[in-house]
Amino acid sequence: MAKLFVTLILLLPLLCNCFSSENPTDRRILVLLDDLGIKSSHSIFFRSLQSRGFELDFKLADDKKITLQRYGQYLYDGLILFSPTVERFGGSLDLSAVMDFVDSGHDLIVAADVSASDLIRDIATECGVDFDEDPAAMVIDHTSYVVSETEGDHTLIASDDFIQSDVILGSKKIEAPVLFQGIGHSLNAANNLVLKVLSASSSAYSAKPGAKLSSPPSLTGSAISLVSVVQARNNARILISGSLALFSNRFYRSDVQKAGSSTRHEKSGNEQFVTELSKWVFHERGHLKAVNVRHHKVGETDEPAMYRINDDLEYSIEIYEWSGKSWQPYVADDVQVQFYMMSPYVLKTLSTDQKGRYFTSFKVPDVYGVFQFKVEYQKLGYTSLSLSKQIPVRPFRHNEYERFITTAFPYYGASFSTMAGFFVFSVVYLYNK
Amino acid sequence: MAALEYGGATTLRHAFGSVLCFFILLLIGVLAFSIRLFSVIKYESVIHEFDPYFNYRVTQFLTKNGIYDFWNWFDDRTWYPLGRVIGGTVYPGLTLTAGSLWWLLNSLNIPLSVETVCVFTAPIFSANAAWATYLLTKEVRGTGAGLTAAALLAMVPSYISRSVAGSYDNEAVAIFALIFTFYLYVKTLNTGSLFYATLNALAYFYMVCSWGGYTFIINLIPMHVLLCIVTGRYSSRLYIAYAPLVVLGTLLASLVPVVGFNAVMTSEHFASFLVFIIIHVVALVYYIKGILSPKMFKVAVTLVVSIGLIVCLAVIAVLVALVASSPTKGWSGRSLSLLDPTYASKYIPIIASVSEHQPPTWPSYFMDINVLAFLVPAGIIACFLPLSDASSFVVLYIVTSVYFSGVMVRLMLVLAPAACIMSGIALSEAFNVFTRSIKFQLPGIPENSHSGAGDTTSGSATIKNDAVKSEKHSSTDKKEDSLKERPSKKNRKKEKEPVEKATIKSQVEKKLLALPLEMSVVAIFLLVLLGALYVVHCVWAAAEAYSAPSIVLTSYSHDGLHVFDDFREAYAWLRHNTEVDDKVASWWDYGYQTTAMANRTVIVDNNTWNNTHIATVGTAMSSPEKAAWEIFNSLDVKYVLVVFGGLVGYPSDDINKFLWMVRIGGGVFPHIREPDYLRDGQYRIDSQATSTMLNCLMYKLSYYRFVETDGKGFDRVRRTEIGKKYFKLTHFEEVFTTHHWMVRIYKLKPPKNRIRGKTKKSKAGSKTSSTTSSKRAGRRKNPWH
């Protein structure tokens, strides 16, 4: 067994081959629009992306020349669908092409709106987001609507029910409520990949504005999600919003006063909210990588091919987070390593030196078999880390047991005294007379 | 003068006989070796079947890493993730034998590959076994019987089935070790030599190293000792033959890691210890009887018997309590199924599932030992005519082995040598009688020596009878007696040693067996014909029935020979197309081959030491796709391999083994219930099959896309159209199917990248069902049904 059968299965680079391990942030983004007017009406959003270094490629959604890949290579790292009404994309793009784009590790922003097309709904469904079936329905809220001159139908709502995550929404608190006007969606509770970033208040419901409610609305209360994000298993990120206007210059600049609240904010929270969220979606934040997984016996430095039961070993790993420009040490106190064979035999929280290195030491359990060092780190908003490294643990060799055991001395005594007795007996029997 | 001349003639004749005997033995060895080469000639020099692949792999490891690494070998490529301590769980005899052969050849600058050595180990050792049979039978009944028995054993089909070239299994060397141990035991019994007793213990040690069947020896020999004691044949030779064997043998046996403390802790060995005590008590009684007056002896007997009874009862009580405290009463499952043939099928499906553990059918006796079956009774009678210690031993051997072979078809192998010895004795006795009759009645030879010659040869039986009788009379000092007996045996061949025979002659004369000449000639002709039939059958069995390597299959049809090399095709695919650390799940039959040929980690293999692990795989195979995927995923399985014979009609495929998977799985995981897979108690895969059956993983992996082959989905093994023809796999994808579809390899799909929402569209519903709900409450309807 000179050859060591130890592998390092880094699921992260394996699955998302599109994120270059050096620079996970997206660069080239295709923006599909219903009409080119959106380019100017949402210019602040686009400009903020461009100022952060993204190359935006604007196309009409029914442009015949749209293509995501050429010669098997994707031309873009991200896709923004600001085309809620498009029934069919032009060119080679269709539902499955969009999904393949995501499944190969690329990011997506989808904005729906009232009377969103089936195509956009299907894309959302594929990602685990169900828009209200009723095509005319909007989110209506009679308590947290935006106060304006005209008493509207309360479809322009101001929400400040954000997800509690610094990674997704940035560390700076969003003070002003976010303006929203559009359709709501619901999430499957069993789906652990999708997160509700902005949810409606408990008094909201989804119905056709101005029409009489004949039956209870299908979506009510805080179950309605206004903006959701999805992080797929390959760490591709998707942002789905029920409102295209959320990104618009008009909402960005609008002052906002929530009904029932006396404070009037000069500027809505939209700009901050959308900017921070787009940073997250395009992997400028919350992207982790793990490198330099090492383990060895205490007092040694070389990685063995195999441990023996009851060995003492040291394990270390380095975890970095992408800051948008460079890899920074990731600091947390909840990274755990498992020594795993069908179930974790050892589960230890790693200590960190604040420079990205996590380490621990433990004793190999008194069980032999093929174990794995497993790090399964799934934290809200961060890309998931899932590493496993196989290592066999062998029992004692035949000469590694204790040669003499104290408790067995009576037996040693017995056998030696028998031998001596036999010898004496033989002498006496043979030579006596 | 005349006497001197005569003596010279006999010496010459004796020398000529020895040389002839030597060459006959040599030829028997060549025969035993070459009759086993059919598989190499017809197929190729390749390791056969399942277990030999493991042995081959172990031998490779041994030759590469040396004996200490072999002893401490922890194999992380099998039984993932448990691993297996090979050094401590394997009988090392075969491996060490082949390893030393290889080492010897290499150090003589004969560069043979390990595989070649492994392939030819079994034929070499069957030649050895033939010679050992000669020695054993010679000890029992003289050279003639020995040669006949050796010739019979060299080609007995039962033994050929386990020792053709390439069949590199424990039995290959173990049968030699078994016969050789018996020979040394009988030799010690005949000579009373401590030298042979020590050799006997060593031979026993080799047997323990080689095969779990050593328990047969350690129970048969005590039985024989007990028989001798009970029938009043106790002698110091018996003591010398037995006591050192138990002491040395047990000590040596416990040195073998796989046996270890089992040598003193399990019930299989208790009989030998009990007899060990008894023989000492008997020896003591004889000793005391010798030094005491008869009256005093009687007093002592009553005294000792009363005390001894109490002690014995106490000891037995302790033993019974100890044994009863263990759940299996100290017996391992295989041994229990020997005693109670229905035990395994009742309680241990994993033992019962192996075809070689089934009771044999009547035809298999005729197939495996052929005419020997008819000769054995004659041999038993011949053994009784003068019953000696040695012949009583072979009688006991044949009786027990007949019983065991009736329990387990695999133990036919133990019966075969016994049958050969018995038949050898019978044949040689018969030839003796007939040729003597001819010789006696031929007109040319009525010389003065005729009566003597006739007497001694014909009366060999009676002479022995006498010897035995006298032996009985003077049972106290057997040593001289036996020494006397042995020269007398030799004298039979010399034909004339008139000094002490003179007295016997007169008694024997009237008992002379003189058959009519014509009858003798016809009888000899018939016997030769019988022998010829046997030879024809053996050659046929060696050539046709037993030399298929089972990894390469052939079939003849109207358009010629078809070769099915699918297994190696599949293993080669695995070796070249998968990662070195990928885990391959299959039913345990293919575990050894996968590790040896594909060099991939397997979950379970043919060494069935962990029932739960096998049951897990069985459960996965009998579960619906999603549940199976979860089980396999939890075991880090990447590929699933199934063997499917429905296209070409290969009957021992996984569908036919499937009920055992269900049984073994259900034995540990009760939610797998056998009746769910049977329609009215019938196992079927056609449209009448239960939905559980049609939705289980094994059905799906076997019949996936099967309908595309002929448009109907007609299974040629089950001779029916399959029940569900069109279905898709959601959690597995087909990655490789061999040329004849005999091996199909599937890959586990990774979990979905995204989780879909729940729309009410019917089109989407089917896809979601697989991923949205993590719980599988109840039995969901398959969307493709």
Side-chain angles (χ1 to χ4, degrees):
Chain A
M1 288 293 269
K3 180 86 188 84
L4 331 174
F5 299 113
V6 182
T7 47
L8 168 62
I9 306 160
L10 276 170
L11 275 178
L12 185 69
L14 203 85
L15 284 178
C16 40
N17 45 9
C18 91
F19 307 122
S20 86
S21 51
E22 286 308 306
N23 185 359
T25 304
D26 301 338
R27 290 290 116 200
R28 299 156 300 167
I29 293 166
L30 176 66
V31 186
L32 295 185
L33 308 169
D34 263 348
D35 59 88
L36 289 172
I38 296 176
K39 192 174 168 184
S40 53
S41 66
H42 293 61
S43 58
I44 302 179
F45 171 65
F46 293 133
R47 217 176 299 129
S48 91
L49 287 181
Q50 278 162 333
S51 69
R52 298 210 306 266
F54 295 99
E55 298 163 19
L56 301 186
D57 189 0
F58 295 95
K59 287 226 168 82
L60 278 178
D62 50 3
D63 190 332
K64 292 279 175 283
K65 279 181 286 198
I66 298 177
T67 179
L68 279 180
Q69 52 180 340
R70 181 179 294 156
Y71 310 131
Q73 295 283 315
Y74 279 105
L75 300 171
Y76 304 99
D77 304 316
L79 179 62
I80 297 177
L81 296 179
F82 277 0
S83 53
T85 60
V86 68
E87 288 293 345
R88 277 193 71 226
F89 291 120
S92 62
L93 197 62
D94 58 359
L95 173 65
S96 66
V98 173
M99 286 306 118
D100 288 344
F101 184 68
V102 171
D103 288 345
S104 54
H106 301 87
D107 304 322
L108 175 67
I109 293 179
V110 181
D113 215 331
V114 189
S115 70
S117 67
D118 280 348
L119 178 66
I120 297 297
R121 285 167 186 271
D122 283 349
I123 291 174
T125 306
E126 285 290 336
C127 302
V129 166
D130 297 306
F131 281 113
D132 193 344
E133 297 268 295
D134 185 354
M138 292 179 82
V139 184
I140 302 171
D141 196 332
H142 294 302
T143 56
S144 54
Y145 57 92
V146 174
V147 178
S148 59
E149 297 82 48
T150 56
E151 180 69 12
D153 48 12
H154 298 170
T155 56
L156 180 62
I157 56 179
S159 174
D160 50 8
D161 197 354
F162 305 112
I163 190 172
Q164 297 300 314
S165 167
D166 285 354
V167 194
I168 297 176
L169 290 182
S171 48
K172 189 157 163 266
K173 192 174 179 301
I174 300 172
E175 298 290 342
V178 168
L179 293 172
F180 181 92
Q181 186 170 36
I183 54 175
H185 57 259
S186 65
L187 310 177
N188 181 359
N191 187 340
N192 54 2
L193 299 179
V194 60
L195 296 170
K196 201 187 284 183
V197 180
L198 184 68
S199 59
S201 75
S202 53
S203 57
Y205 64 96
S206 174
K208 187 177 178 187
K212 214 162 175 225
L213 278 178
S214 53
S215 58
S218 56
L219 296 175
T220 54
S222 51
I224 301 176
S225 171
L226 306 175
V227 178
S228 299
V229 293
V230 180
Q231 179 167 281
R233 290 208 168 91
N234 65 354
N235 291 328
R237 286 172 176 172
I238 302 160
L239 167 65
I240 294 169
S241 158
S243 162
L244 178 58
L246 181 81
F247 305 90
S248 68
N249 297 354
R250 187 165 64 85
F251 279 22
Y252 268 35
R253 294 199 189 110
S254 162
D255 54 350
V256 57
Q257 183 184 10
K258 201 173 166 184
S261 154
S262 56
T263 48
R264 186 172 186 85
H265 299 276
E266 277 300 304
K267 218 171 149 237
S268 74
N270 283 35
E271 180 166 9
Q272 191 188 351
F273 175 75
V274 168
T275 309
E276 295 298 330
L277 207 51
S278 69
K279 279 184 184 165
W280 182 83
V281 168
F282 291 131
H283 288 273
E284 287 170 70
R285 205 165 43 219
H287 190 103
L288 300 178
K289 76 165 178 183
V291 289
N292 279 342
V293 181
R294 301 162 75 101
H295 59 88
H296 52 81
K297 277 189 209 166
V298 170
E300 293 177 16
T301 50
D302 290 340
E303 196 170 284
M306 196 181 255
Y307 285 108
R308 196 193 66 192
I309 54 173
N310 295 332
D311 268 349
D312 288 298
L313 65 86
E314 285 175 349
Y315 177 87
S316 71
I317 185 173
E318 287 173 29
I319 302 178
Y320 295 98
E321 183 186 1
W322 178 250
S323 69
K325 291 172 191 67
S326 63
W327 290 102
Q328 301 293 331
Y330 175 70
V331 180
D333 57 358
D334 52 1
V335 185
Q336 292 182 321
V337 64
Q338 305 172 25
F339 200 57
Y340 182 94
M341 180 177 77
M342 296 209 277
S343 61
Y345 279 74
V346 174
L347 177 62
K348 287 211 79 165
T349 305
L350 298 168
S351 22
T352 176
D353 63 353
Q354 309 287 321
K355 290 183 191 121
R357 185 167 171 270
Y358 291 80
F359 55 91
T360 190
S361 65
F362 56 88
K363 191 188 247 328
V364 175
D366 196 359
V367 179
Y368 60 79
V370 183
F371 280 81
Q372 286 172 338
F373 289 108
K374 266 194 177 198
V375 174
E376 296 278 349
Y377 190 65
Q378 266 131 11
K379 198 172 179 183
L380 181 68
Y382 287 100
T383 55
S384 57
L385 284 182
S386 176
L387 300 102
S388 59
K389 191 171 191 179
Q390 183 176 313
I391 183 85
V393 173
R394 64 170 173 83
F396 287 113
R397 291 172 66 93
H398 71 276
N399 53 3
E400 284 173 339
Y401 292 97
E402 271 182 273
R403 180 53 60 95
F404 293 106
I405 312 169
T406 330
T407 44
F409 271 106
Y411 296 100
Y412 305 145
S415 51
F416 282 110
S417 63
T418 307
M419 282 185 227
F422 182 72
F423 182 73
V424 170
F425 170 77
S426 308
V427 168
V428 169
Y429 186 83
L430 291 176
Y431 299 108
N432 198 14
K433 277 188 287 181
Chain B
M1 269 302 137
L4 198 75
E5 211 170 85
Y6 188 78
T10 46
T11 322
L12 192 68
R13 207 171 156 179
H14 183 58
F16 182 70
S18 310
V19 170
L20 193 65
C21 177
F22 172 76
F23 278 106
I24 290 174
L25 279 178
L26 205 63
L27 286 177
I28 287 174
V30 171
L31 169 69
F33 183 81
S34 51
I35 201 173
R36 286 165 170 83
L37 299 185
F38 275 110
S39 61
V40 174
I41 293 160
K42 290 182 69 176
Y43 296 89
E44 57 189 292
S45 174
V46 69
I47 308 271
H48 289 198
E49 295 198 319
F50 306 107
D51 288 25
Y53 270 96
F54 170 74
N55 296 326
Y56 169 51
R57 182 165 163 256
V58 173
T59 313
Q60 273 184 319
F61 185 88
L62 171 72
T63 51
K64 213 179 287 170
N65 300 56
I67 186 158
Y68 279 104
D69 276 348
F70 164 58
W71 184 1
N72 292 308
W73 186 15
F74 173 71
D75 185 9
D76 56 346
R77 313 283 292 168
T78 57
W79 290 95
Y80 181 85
L82 306 170
R84 178 182 171 195
V85 187
I86 298 237
T89 57
V90 79
Y91 286 101
L94 174 76
T95 317
L96 291 178
T97 308
S100 349
L101 264 180
W102 179 85
W103 175 83
L104 188 74
L105 289 170
N106 263 36
S107 54
L108 293 175
N109 285 330
I110 305 174
L112 288 181
S113 70
V114 179
E115 190 181 3
T116 316
V117 174
C118 292
V119 166
F120 291 104
T121 300
I124 290 171
F125 268 80
S126 27
N128 289 350
W131 293 329
T133 310
Y134 163 74
L135 291 173
L136 172 58
T137 321
K138 191 181 141 202
E139 277 310 305
V140 176
R141 197 42 77 80
T143 318
L147 288 176
T148 323
L152 291 176
L153 185 103
M155 49 188 174
V156 64
S158 169
Y159 186 29
I160 286 180
S161 73
R162 292 318 198 94
S163 63
V164 292
S167 179
Y168 179 56
D169 209 348
N170 287 337
E171 288 92 334
V173 298
I175 294 303
F176 158 70
L178 181 83
I179 302 171
F180 197 63
T181 311
F182 286 156
Y183 156 67
L184 284 168
Y185 171 70
V186 173
K187 182 86 181 170
T188 323
L189 203 54
N190 280 343
T191 58
S193 145
L194 207 50
F195 171 68
Y196 283 114
T198 317
L199 283 188
N200 189 19
L202 288 176
Y204 173 67
F205 174 58
Y206 184 62
M207 177 68 190
V208 177
C209 280
S210 305
W211 197 30
Y214 75 91
T215 47
F216 182 61
I217 295 182
I218 205 60
N219 282 300
L220 181 64
I221 289 182
M223 270 168 81
H224 178 245
V225 170
L226 204 60
L227 184 80
C228 285
I229 291 171
V230 168
T231 53
R233 287 169 161 271
Y234 171 79
S235 64
S236 55
R237 288 175 293 115
L238 187 69
Y239 183 85
I240 289 169
Y242 186 66
L245 174 68
V246 171
V247 177
L248 285 178
T250 306
L251 276 177
L252 290 169
S254 55
L255 292 182
V256 181
V258 64
V259 178
F261 277 105
N262 283 350
V264 287
M265 306 256 292
T266 55
S267 302
E268 281 96 338
H269 306 80
F270 283 175
S272 64
F273 301 136
L274 193 65
V275 173
F276 186 67
I277 295 169
I278 290 173
I279 200 170
H280 276 94
V281 170
V282 171
L284 189 70
V285 168
Y286 274 99
Y287 175 70
I288 291 171
K289 204 175 176 181
I291 58 169
L292 285 185
S293 65
K295 205 177 155 194
M296 280 291 284
F297 181 68
K298 246 177 200 158
V299 177
V301 163
T302 42
L303 197 73
V304 167
V305 162
S306 47
I307 296 172
L309 222 55
I310 296 166
V311 174
C312 274
L313 281 179
V315 168
I316 287 169
V318 168
L319 273 182
V320 166
L322 270 179
V323 170
S325 63
S326 87
T328 59
K329 309 281 176 273
W331 291 77
S332 68
R334 277 199 182 85
S335 309
L336 270 178
S337 65
L338 280 182
L339 295 180
D340 172 11
T342 55
Y343 178 84
S345 50
K346 271 190 285 190
Y347 303 110
I348 318 173
I350 204 153
I351 289 181
S353 75
V354 182
S355 63
E356 63 183 21
H357 291 163
Q358 307 286 349
T361 53
W362 283 115
S364 70
Y365 276 97
F366 190 73
M367 175 71 199
D368 275 358
I369 56 176
N370 200 249
V371 302
L372 304 189
F374 310 119
L375 291 171
V376 163
I380 295 177
I381 293 169
C383 281
F384 269 103
L385 279 177
L387 189 69
S388 64
D389 288 349
S391 64
S392 70
F393 177 73
V394 286
V395 169
L396 201 63
Y397 176 24
I398 184 97
V399 169
T400 46
S401 61
V402 164
Y403 170 74
F404 287 137
S405 72
V407 175
M408 233 187 233
V409 66
R410 181 190 194 185
L411 293 179
M412 206 67 121
L413 197 56
V414 176
L415 169 67
C420 289
I421 292 166
M422 282 302 174
S423 312
I425 292 172
L427 274 181
S428 95
E429 287 291 315
F431 276 119
N432 235 355
V433 170
F434 295 134
T435 47
R436 199 186 324 114
S437 309
I438 293 171
K439 195 172 172 187
F440 188 65
Q441 290 173 22
L442 278 182
I445 320 176
E447 291 294 308
N448 53 352
S449 70
H450 72 280
S451 66
D455 274 351
T456 35
T457 46
S458 75
S460 68
T462 38
I463 288 167
K464 259 205 195 159
N465 226 345
D466 261 49
V468 169
K469 252 180 232 161
S470 68
E471 205 176 335
K472 262 183 189 169
H473 289 310
S474 59
S475 50
T476 37
D477 51 350
K478 277 283 137 90
K479 197 129 190 175
E480 298 91 326
D481 201 77
S482 74
L483 287 175
K484 235 183 275 168
E485 195 185 26
R486 285 192 48 72
S488 80
K489 267 186 195 164
K490 272 183 194 158
N491 293 343
R492 271 191 291 122
K493 281 163 279 168
K494 289 185 188 168
E495 300 224 335
K496 208 129 174 88
E497 191 71 61
V499 195
E500 61 177 290
K501 294 292 179 290
T503 47
I504 305 163
K505 234 185 279 172
S506 58
Q507 301 172 7
V508 163
E509 215 147 16
K510 54 187 170 293
K511 292 176 100 185
L512 178 70
L513 288 161
L515 294 166
L517 179 66
E518 301 75 27
M519 192 186 155
S520 304
V521 172
V522 170
I524 286 178
F525 174 72
L526 286 178
L527 280 182
V528 170
L529 196 69
L530 197 66
L533 276 178
Y534 176 72
V535 171
V536 168
H537 173 80
C538 290
V539 171
W540 172 81
E544 300 295 329
Y546 288 138
S547 53
S550 97
I551 57 159
V552 186
L553 305 161
T554 54
S555 85
Y556 293 96
S557 66
H558 54 90
D559 52 345
L561 176 76
H562 288 275
V563 177
F564 301 93
D565 203 0
D566 286 35
F567 287 104
R568 289 195 292 181
E569 186 187 350
Y571 294 131
W573 185 89
L574 277 176
R575 191 171 63 241
H576 292 296
N577 294 283
T578 59
E579 296 288 322
V580 77
D581 266 333
D582 283 347
K583 283 86 190 168
V584 181
S586 63
W587 191 233
W588 56 267
D589 296 20
Y590 314 104
Y592 280 163
Q593 293 183 346
T594 310
T595 37
M597 282 197 264
N599 191 22
R600 291 293 172 268
T601 309
V602 294
I603 305 300
V604 291
D605 67 25
N606 310 42
N607 170 272
T608 52
W609 65 272
N610 188 324
N611 193 26
T612 314
H613 220 50
I614 291 180
T616 308
V617 174
T619 305
M621 292 296 190
S622 33
S623 300
E625 218 184 311
K626 179 168 169 54
W629 185 90
E630 278 164 10
I631 293 172
F632 280 143
N633 194 48
S634 73
L635 289 170
D636 297 329
V637 170
K638 271 270 189 62
Y639 296 92
V640 181
L641 178 151
V642 294
V643 172
F644 171 64
L647 186 71
V648 290
Y650 170 63
S652 55
D653 64 350
D654 278 348
I655 291 284
N656 274 3
K657 292 170 185 168
F658 181 60
L659 270 194
W660 290 112
M661 304 185 202
V662 173
R663 263 172 224 159
I664 292 169
V668 178
F669 303 101
H671 69 275
I672 302 288
R673 291 170 54 247
E674 191 178 339
D676 291 345
Y677 297 85
L678 303 174
R679 173 73 71 197
D680 304 326
Q682 274 189 311
Y683 177 63
R684 53 201 310 170
I685 44 100
D686 54 9
S687 50
Q688 297 294 305
T690 58
S691 67
T692 319
M693 179 69 213
L694 294 180
N695 285 316
C696 71
L697 184 72
M698 181 48 76
Y699 179 91
K700 286 190 160 185
L701 297 191
S702 289
Y703 293 115
Y704 178 61
R705 294 200 305 114
F706 181 52
V707 73
E708 293 170 20
T709 53
D710 59 353
K712 291 203 305 277
F714 184 79
D715 185 320
R716 293 204 197 168
V717 175
R718 268 64 61 176
R719 309 211 149 275
T720 176
E721 272 186 39
I722 59 173
K724 197 164 65 165
K725 297 174 182 173
Y726 302 95
F727 54 87
K728 284 184 182 171
L729 297 173
T730 45
H731 292 83
F732 295 84
E733 59 179 327
E734 185 188 5
V735 287
F736 187 68
T737 295
T738 55
H739 185 85
H740 301 99
W741 285 50
M742 277 169 58
V743 185
R744 313 195 66 183
I745 301 172
Y746 293 84
K747 189 178 185 180
L748 269 75
K749 283 187 187 165
K752 287 218 155 158
N753 191 31
R754 293 163 284 111
I755 301 176
R756 281 178 51 98
K758 40 175 180 188
T759 45
K760 288 90 194 168
K761 279 182 198 165
S762 59
K763 181 192 74 160
S766 58
K767 275 188 200 163
T768 17
S769 63
S770 56
T771 40
T772 40
S773 75
S774 58
K775 285 168 279 293
R776 45 193 162 95
R779 194 149 284 145
R780 222 183 305 109
K781 267 262 180 262
N782 188 294
W784 302 103
H785 200 74

